Protein backbone atom coordinates (compact mmCIF):
# COMPACT_ATOMS: atom_id res chain seq x y z
CA UNK A 1 0.00 0.00 0.00
CA UNK A 2 1.21 3.50 -0.85
CA UNK A 3 2.23 5.40 2.29
CA UNK A 4 2.37 9.15 2.78
CA UNK A 5 4.24 11.67 4.86
CA UNK A 6 1.70 14.18 6.18
CA UNK A 7 2.79 17.82 6.07
CA UNK A 8 0.56 19.84 8.40
CA UNK A 9 0.72 23.50 7.38
CA UNK A 10 2.40 22.26 4.23
CA UNK A 11 1.17 25.09 2.00
CA UNK A 12 3.22 27.67 3.88
CA UNK A 13 6.69 28.97 3.14
CA UNK A 14 8.70 26.21 4.80
CA UNK A 15 6.13 23.49 4.24
CA UNK A 16 5.84 24.02 0.49
CA UNK A 17 9.62 23.96 -0.02
CA UNK A 18 9.84 20.81 2.08
CA UNK A 19 7.12 19.26 -0.07
CA UNK A 20 9.24 20.00 -3.14
CA UNK A 21 12.33 18.48 -1.52
CA UNK A 22 10.49 15.29 -0.48
CA UNK A 23 8.73 14.85 -3.81
CA UNK A 24 12.01 15.20 -5.69
CA UNK A 25 13.38 12.42 -3.46
CA UNK A 26 10.45 10.15 -4.36
CA UNK A 27 8.59 10.52 -1.04
CA UNK A 28 4.78 10.54 -1.23
CA UNK A 29 3.32 13.62 0.44
CA UNK A 30 -0.15 14.67 1.57
CA UNK A 31 -0.67 18.27 2.68
CA UNK A 32 -3.16 19.52 5.29
CA UNK A 33 -3.50 23.29 5.70
CA UNK A 34 -6.27 25.74 6.58
CA UNK A 35 -4.86 28.37 4.16
CA UNK A 36 -4.95 31.04 6.87
CA UNK A 37 -1.53 32.27 5.77
CA UNK A 38 -1.09 30.61 2.39
CA UNK A 39 -2.84 29.99 -0.92
CA UNK A 40 -4.09 26.89 -2.73
CA UNK A 41 -2.22 28.10 -5.82
CA UNK A 42 1.01 26.97 -4.13
CA UNK A 43 0.12 23.49 -5.39
CA UNK A 44 0.53 24.73 -8.95
CA UNK A 45 4.07 25.81 -8.18
CA UNK A 46 4.91 22.54 -6.44
CA UNK A 47 3.57 20.60 -9.41
CA UNK A 48 5.43 22.78 -11.93
CA UNK A 49 8.73 22.19 -10.10
CA UNK A 50 8.37 18.46 -9.36
CA UNK A 51 5.93 17.13 -11.95
CA UNK A 52 3.80 15.80 -9.07
CA UNK A 53 0.64 17.31 -7.63
CA UNK A 54 0.39 16.04 -4.06
CA UNK A 55 -3.04 15.53 -2.50
CA UNK A 56 -4.20 18.51 -0.46
CA UNK A 57 -6.85 18.64 2.28
CA UNK A 58 -8.08 21.98 3.55
CA UNK A 59 -8.06 21.33 7.26
CA UNK A 60 -7.77 23.16 10.58
CA UNK A 61 -5.22 21.03 12.40
CA UNK A 62 -6.86 21.88 15.74
CA UNK A 63 -10.07 20.18 14.53
CA UNK A 64 -9.84 16.53 15.58
CA UNK A 65 -12.60 15.36 13.26
CA UNK A 66 -10.93 16.99 10.26
CA UNK A 67 -7.51 15.61 11.19
CA UNK A 68 -8.90 12.10 11.67
CA UNK A 69 -10.41 12.31 8.21
CA UNK A 70 -6.95 12.89 6.73
CA UNK A 71 -5.52 9.86 8.55
CA UNK A 72 -8.52 7.74 7.58
CA UNK A 73 -8.15 8.67 3.91
CA UNK A 74 -4.38 8.45 3.49
CA UNK A 75 -2.06 5.77 4.97
CA UNK A 76 0.25 8.13 6.90
CA UNK A 77 3.63 6.74 7.97
CA UNK A 78 5.09 9.94 9.48
CA UNK A 79 4.19 13.57 10.10
CA UNK A 80 6.16 16.77 9.61
CA UNK A 81 4.33 19.33 11.70
CA UNK A 82 4.50 22.93 10.44
CA UNK A 83 0.98 24.11 11.31
CA UNK A 84 1.01 27.13 13.60
CA UNK A 85 1.24 30.89 13.80
CA UNK A 86 4.79 32.17 13.38
CA UNK A 87 5.20 35.95 13.72
CA UNK A 88 7.26 37.00 16.75
CA UNK A 89 5.91 40.56 16.90
CA UNK A 90 2.30 39.49 16.46
CA UNK A 91 2.67 36.92 19.22
CA UNK A 92 3.52 39.71 21.67
CA UNK A 93 0.31 41.50 20.67
CA UNK A 94 -1.90 38.37 20.54
CA UNK A 95 -0.50 35.88 23.04
CA UNK A 96 -3.73 33.96 23.66
CA UNK A 97 -4.23 33.30 19.95
CA UNK A 98 -0.69 31.92 19.69
CA UNK A 99 -0.94 29.65 22.74
CA UNK A 100 -4.35 28.35 21.72
CA UNK A 101 -3.56 27.71 18.07
CA UNK A 102 0.00 26.42 18.25
CA UNK A 103 -0.49 24.05 21.17
CA UNK A 104 -3.95 22.83 20.16
CA UNK A 105 -2.75 22.00 16.66
CA UNK A 106 0.13 19.93 17.99
CA UNK A 107 -1.93 18.10 20.63
CA UNK A 108 -4.68 17.30 18.13
CA UNK A 109 -2.22 15.91 15.60
CA UNK A 110 -0.48 13.83 18.29
CA UNK A 111 -3.81 12.38 19.45
CA UNK A 112 -4.63 11.40 15.87
CA UNK A 113 -1.17 9.89 15.37
CA UNK A 114 -1.58 7.79 18.51
CA UNK A 115 -4.98 6.46 17.46
CA UNK A 116 -3.75 5.65 13.95
CA UNK A 117 -0.50 3.98 15.01
CA UNK A 118 1.85 6.64 13.60
CA UNK A 119 4.99 7.02 15.70
CA UNK A 120 7.30 9.42 13.83
CA UNK A 121 7.07 13.21 14.01
CA UNK A 122 9.46 15.86 12.71
CA UNK A 123 8.61 19.09 14.50
CA UNK A 124 9.05 22.62 13.19
CA UNK A 125 10.72 24.26 16.18
CA UNK A 126 12.72 27.46 16.42
CA UNK A 127 15.92 29.01 17.73
CA UNK A 128 13.67 31.22 19.86
CA UNK A 129 13.57 28.36 22.41
CA UNK A 130 17.05 29.45 23.49
CA UNK A 131 15.75 32.82 24.67
CA UNK A 132 18.46 35.44 24.99
CA UNK A 133 20.88 32.73 26.09
CA UNK A 134 24.36 33.07 27.52
CA UNK A 135 26.57 31.77 24.75
CA UNK A 136 26.89 32.29 21.01
CA UNK A 137 26.60 30.31 18.89
CA UNK A 138 23.85 28.13 20.35
CA UNK A 139 24.32 24.37 20.52
CA UNK A 140 21.55 21.87 21.18
CA UNK A 141 22.80 21.62 24.77
CA UNK A 142 22.54 25.39 25.34
CA UNK A 143 19.96 26.24 28.01
CA UNK A 144 16.45 26.74 26.74
CA UNK A 145 13.78 28.93 28.27
CA UNK A 146 13.62 32.61 29.08
CA UNK A 147 11.94 33.08 25.72
CA UNK A 148 11.41 36.73 24.87
CA UNK A 149 8.04 36.30 23.15
CA UNK A 150 4.95 34.04 23.23
CA UNK A 151 5.81 32.51 19.84
CA UNK A 152 9.05 31.17 21.30
CA UNK A 153 7.22 29.98 24.41
CA UNK A 154 4.81 27.93 22.29
CA UNK A 155 7.77 26.23 20.61
CA UNK A 156 9.41 25.55 23.97
CA UNK A 157 6.17 24.13 25.40
CA UNK A 158 5.70 21.98 22.31
CA UNK A 159 9.21 20.59 22.71
CA UNK A 160 8.43 19.68 26.33
CA UNK A 161 5.24 17.92 25.26
CA UNK A 162 7.21 15.85 22.76
CA UNK A 163 9.96 15.02 25.28
CA UNK A 164 7.35 13.81 27.76
CA UNK A 165 5.59 11.77 25.08
CA UNK A 166 8.82 10.05 24.07
CA UNK A 167 9.55 9.20 27.72
CA UNK A 168 6.10 7.67 28.06
CA UNK A 169 6.15 5.77 24.74
CA UNK A 170 9.42 4.07 23.78
CA UNK A 171 8.14 3.53 20.23
CA UNK A 172 7.71 7.23 19.48
CA UNK A 173 10.28 9.34 17.61
CA UNK A 174 10.24 13.14 17.71
CA UNK A 175 12.90 15.16 15.89
CA UNK A 176 12.92 18.82 16.94
CA UNK A 177 14.34 21.00 14.18
CA UNK A 178 15.33 24.36 15.62
CA UNK A 179 15.28 26.77 12.70
CA UNK A 180 17.28 29.92 12.64
CA UNK A 181 16.19 32.44 9.93
CA UNK A 182 14.94 30.91 6.67
CA UNK A 183 14.96 33.24 3.67
CA UNK A 184 15.08 33.04 -0.13
CA UNK A 185 12.90 30.97 -2.44
CA UNK A 186 13.11 27.94 -4.69
CA UNK A 187 15.61 28.65 -7.45
CA UNK A 188 12.82 28.28 -10.03
CA UNK A 189 11.11 31.37 -8.62
CA UNK A 190 7.80 29.48 -8.70
CA UNK A 191 7.22 29.27 -4.94
CA UNK A 192 8.39 31.52 -2.14
CA UNK A 193 7.27 33.57 0.86
CA UNK A 194 4.18 35.77 0.60
CA UNK A 195 3.13 37.07 4.02
CA UNK A 196 -0.29 38.62 4.48
CA UNK A 197 -0.23 42.34 5.22
CA UNK A 198 2.93 44.16 6.31
CA UNK A 199 5.71 41.55 6.65
CA UNK A 200 7.06 40.65 10.08
CA UNK A 201 10.27 39.12 8.73
CA UNK A 202 13.17 41.00 7.19
CA UNK A 203 13.58 39.54 3.69
CA UNK A 204 9.96 39.89 2.49
CA UNK A 205 9.96 43.41 3.95
CA UNK A 206 13.12 44.23 1.99
CA UNK A 207 11.55 42.91 -1.22
CA UNK A 208 8.36 44.91 -0.82
CA UNK A 209 10.42 48.06 -0.39
CA UNK A 210 12.64 47.17 -3.36
CA UNK A 211 9.65 46.74 -5.68
CA UNK A 212 7.96 49.93 -4.45
CA UNK A 213 5.04 48.44 -2.52
CA UNK A 214 6.35 49.97 0.71
CA UNK A 215 8.14 53.34 0.92
CA UNK A 216 11.03 52.27 3.15
CA UNK A 217 12.40 49.53 5.36
CA UNK A 218 12.04 50.02 9.09
CA UNK A 219 15.24 48.98 10.82
CA UNK A 220 14.29 48.20 14.41
CA UNK A 221 17.23 49.33 16.52
CA UNK A 222 20.77 50.39 15.65
CA UNK A 223 22.14 50.37 19.20
CA UNK A 224 22.60 46.65 19.76
CA UNK A 225 26.08 45.44 20.88
CA UNK A 226 26.90 44.27 17.34
CA UNK A 227 29.45 45.54 14.75
CA UNK A 228 27.00 47.95 13.08
CA UNK A 229 24.42 48.21 15.87
CA UNK A 230 21.73 46.20 14.06
CA UNK A 231 20.53 42.74 15.02
CA UNK A 232 22.59 39.77 13.86
CA UNK A 233 20.89 36.58 12.69
CA UNK A 234 21.83 33.26 11.14
CA UNK A 235 20.07 33.33 7.75
CA UNK A 236 19.60 30.01 5.97
CA UNK A 237 18.34 29.41 2.44
CA UNK A 238 14.87 27.92 2.50
CA UNK A 239 15.90 25.07 0.19
CA UNK A 240 18.73 24.12 2.55
CA UNK A 241 16.26 24.18 5.42
CA UNK A 242 13.89 21.96 3.45
CA UNK A 243 16.61 19.39 2.82
CA UNK A 244 17.15 19.24 6.58
CA UNK A 245 13.64 17.82 6.94
CA UNK A 246 14.36 15.05 4.46
CA UNK A 247 17.57 14.19 6.32
CA UNK A 248 15.74 14.21 9.68
CA UNK A 249 12.89 12.07 8.35
CA UNK A 250 15.31 9.49 6.93
CA UNK A 251 17.32 9.35 10.17
CA UNK A 252 14.25 9.26 12.45
CA UNK A 253 13.02 5.90 11.15
CA UNK A 254 15.68 4.05 13.15
CA UNK A 255 16.17 6.37 16.14
CA UNK A 256 13.26 6.38 18.61
CA UNK A 257 13.22 9.03 21.30
CA UNK A 258 13.33 12.82 21.26
CA UNK A 259 16.21 14.49 19.45
CA UNK A 260 16.94 18.19 18.77
CA UNK A 261 18.98 19.62 15.89
CA UNK A 262 19.86 23.17 14.91
CA UNK A 263 19.32 24.05 11.27
CA UNK A 264 21.46 27.06 10.45
CA UNK A 265 24.67 28.05 8.71
CA UNK A 266 26.77 29.09 11.70
CA UNK A 267 27.38 32.48 10.05
CA UNK A 268 25.95 35.71 11.47
CA UNK A 269 24.63 38.51 9.25
CA UNK A 270 23.36 41.87 10.49
CA UNK A 271 20.25 43.59 9.17
CA UNK A 272 22.35 46.16 7.32
CA UNK A 273 24.69 43.51 5.90
CA UNK A 274 21.72 41.66 4.43
CA UNK A 275 20.27 44.87 2.99
CA UNK A 276 23.61 45.86 1.42
CA UNK A 277 24.04 42.37 -0.07
CA UNK A 278 20.52 42.46 -1.49
CA UNK A 279 21.16 45.84 -3.10
CA UNK A 280 24.50 44.73 -4.56
CA UNK A 281 23.37 41.35 -5.91
CA UNK A 282 20.12 42.59 -7.44
CA UNK A 283 21.03 46.14 -8.43
CA UNK A 284 18.10 47.72 -6.59
CA UNK A 285 17.88 50.30 -3.82
CA UNK A 286 16.25 49.66 -0.44
CA UNK A 287 15.48 52.98 1.31
CA UNK A 288 15.41 52.62 5.09
CA UNK A 289 14.75 54.44 8.33
CA UNK A 290 15.91 53.50 11.82
CA UNK A 291 13.33 53.12 14.57
CA UNK A 292 13.46 51.90 18.16
CA UNK A 293 14.01 48.30 19.11
CA UNK A 294 11.07 45.94 18.57
CA UNK A 295 9.64 44.12 21.58
CA UNK A 296 10.78 40.49 21.74
CA UNK A 297 13.88 40.89 19.57
CA UNK A 298 17.39 39.91 20.69
CA UNK A 299 20.78 41.26 19.61
CA UNK A 300 22.35 38.06 18.26
CA UNK A 301 21.02 34.62 17.41
CA UNK A 302 23.52 32.27 15.80
CA UNK A 303 23.56 28.49 15.30
CA UNK A 304 26.15 25.84 15.83
CA UNK A 305 24.89 23.33 13.22
CA UNK A 306 27.67 20.78 13.74
CA UNK A 307 25.40 18.14 15.31
CA UNK A 308 23.10 18.11 12.27
CA UNK A 309 26.18 18.08 10.01
CA UNK A 310 27.63 15.06 11.80
CA UNK A 311 24.55 13.00 12.75
CA UNK A 312 22.09 13.76 9.95
CA UNK A 313 24.72 14.20 7.24
CA UNK A 314 23.11 17.55 6.43
CA UNK A 315 24.83 20.84 5.70
CA UNK A 316 23.65 24.26 4.46
CA UNK A 317 25.25 24.86 1.05
CA UNK A 318 23.83 28.11 -0.31
CA UNK A 319 25.27 31.59 0.30
CA UNK A 320 23.73 34.88 1.41
CA UNK A 321 24.06 36.02 -2.20
CA UNK A 322 22.00 32.99 -3.29
CA UNK A 323 19.35 33.83 -0.70
CA UNK A 324 19.06 37.43 -1.92
CA UNK A 325 19.11 36.49 -5.60
CA UNK A 326 16.49 33.73 -5.30
CA UNK A 327 14.22 35.85 -3.10
CA UNK A 328 14.25 38.68 -5.67
CA UNK A 329 13.64 36.24 -8.54
CA UNK A 330 10.51 35.06 -6.71
CA UNK A 331 9.35 38.62 -6.15
CA UNK A 332 9.82 39.54 -9.82
CA UNK A 333 7.96 36.44 -11.01
CA UNK A 334 5.06 37.34 -8.72
CA UNK A 335 4.91 40.76 -10.33
CA UNK A 336 4.95 39.07 -13.74
CA UNK A 337 2.14 36.76 -12.67
CA UNK A 338 4.20 33.56 -13.20
CA UNK A 339 4.77 32.63 -9.53
CA UNK A 340 2.40 30.81 -7.19
CA UNK A 341 1.56 32.44 -3.87
Amino acid sequence: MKEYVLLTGGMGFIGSHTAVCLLKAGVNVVIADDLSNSSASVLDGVEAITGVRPPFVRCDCADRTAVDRVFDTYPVSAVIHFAGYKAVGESVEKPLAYYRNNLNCLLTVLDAMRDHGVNTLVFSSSATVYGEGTGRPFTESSPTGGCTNPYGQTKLMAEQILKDLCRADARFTAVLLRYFNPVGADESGLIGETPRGVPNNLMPYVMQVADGRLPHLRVYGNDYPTPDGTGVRDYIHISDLASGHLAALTWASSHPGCHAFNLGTGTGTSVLELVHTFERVNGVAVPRVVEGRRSGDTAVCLADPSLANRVLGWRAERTLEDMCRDAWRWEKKQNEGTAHE
Side-chain angles (χ1 to χ4, degrees):
M1 181 182 292
K2 187 177 186 180
E3 293 188 330
Y4 292 84
V5 174
L6 170 61
L7 307 186
T8 64
M11 300 290 273
F13 178 43
I14 301 173
S16 60
H17 285 80
T18 300
V20 164
C21 181
L22 267 59
L23 290 168
K24 284 183 174 181
V27 178
N28 298 312
V29 166
V30 57
I31 296 173
D33 198 302
D34 67 358
L35 301 182
S36 61
N37 195 33
S38 57
S39 166
S41 68
V42 169
L43 279 179
D44 298 332
V46 171
E47 183 179 21
I49 296 165
T50 66
V52 179
R53 190 176 187 87
F56 163 63
V57 180
R58 186 163 186 173
C59 168
D60 178 355
C61 289
D63 181 340
R64 178 61 193 274
T65 300
V67 172
D68 274 335
R69 193 175 301 122
V70 176
F71 280 86
D72 290 339
T73 304
Y74 299 94
V76 173
S77 60
V79 176
I80 304 181
H81 184 63
F82 299 105
Y85 298 153
K86 64 176 186 176
V88 167
E90 184 182 61
S91 77
V92 176
E93 299 169 2
K94 302 176 181 179
L96 294 183
Y98 271 69
Y99 286 115
R100 181 178 295 110
N101 181 75
N102 291 7
L103 296 177
N104 282 354
C105 283
L106 175 63
L107 290 168
T108 301
V109 169
L110 289 174
D111 280 341
M113 291 176 67
R114 177 198 59 210
D115 291 350
H116 291 83
V118 180
N119 294 311
T120 301
L121 179 84
V122 176
F123 178 64
S124 172
S125 192
S126 167
T128 56
V129 300
Y130 295 120
E132 294 190 82
T134 55
R136 309 286 193 289
F138 292 112
T139 70
E140 290 80 357
S141 60
S142 296
T144 57
C147 302
T148 59
N149 53 77
Y151 165 77
Q153 286 283 16
T154 68
K155 294 299 186 183
L156 184 65
M157 294 166 111
E159 286 197 2
Q160 188 62 55
I161 289 167
L162 293 169
K163 290 173 185 175
D164 291 341
L165 175 58
C166 288
R167 289 192 194 101
D169 185 349
R171 301 166 302 170
F172 200 86
T173 301
V175 180
L176 317 175
L177 297 182
R178 293 171 177 167
Y179 308 156
F180 281 69
N181 289 76
V183 297
D186 186 82
E187 64 181 4
S188 68
L190 294 174
I191 59 172
E193 185 174 17
T194 308
R196 303 272 172 94
V198 177
N200 287 284
N201 296 326
L202 178 59
M203 185 66 87
Y205 205 146
V206 167
M207 291 193 297
Q208 290 192 19
V209 173
D211 73 6
R213 280 191 280 167
L214 293 173
H216 53 253
L217 173 70
R218 294 178 175 180
V219 177
Y220 294 104
N222 66 348
D223 57 350
Y224 286 107
T226 61
D228 63 18
T230 63
V232 170
R233 297 292 182 267
D234 187 332
Y235 294 99
I236 176 173
H237 195 291
I238 184 62
S239 297
D240 282 334
L241 189 76
S243 70
H245 294 76
L246 176 60
L249 187 68
T250 303
W251 182 85
S253 61
S254 55
H255 293 85
C258 192
H259 313 274
F261 295 97
N262 290 335
L263 295 186
T265 66
T267 300
T269 302
S270 75
V271 171
L272 290 181
E273 286 175 320
L274 184 144
V275 172
H276 293 153
T277 301
F278 186 94
E279 291 178 320
R280 173 174 55 81
V281 167
N282 297 310
V284 292
V286 181
R288 48 200 173 269
V289 297
V290 175
E291 299 191 356
R293 296 185 186 187
R294 185 171 56 181
S295 176
D297 281 347
T298 58
V300 178
C301 189
L302 184 62
D304 177 346
S306 58
L307 186 66
N309 299 163
R310 184 175 71 254
V311 174
L312 301 182
W314 169 88
R315 187 177 301 274
E317 299 176 348
R318 295 165 178 84
T319 66
L320 182 65
E321 286 77 7
D322 294 330
M323 300 175 210
C324 293
R325 188 179 298 111
D326 290 342
W328 187 235
R329 182 184 297 115
W330 154 251
E331 185 74 9
K332 289 190 295 184
K333 282 185 177 289
Q334 283 191 93
N335 294 337
E336 295 164 3
T338 56
H340 302 276
E341 299 181 11

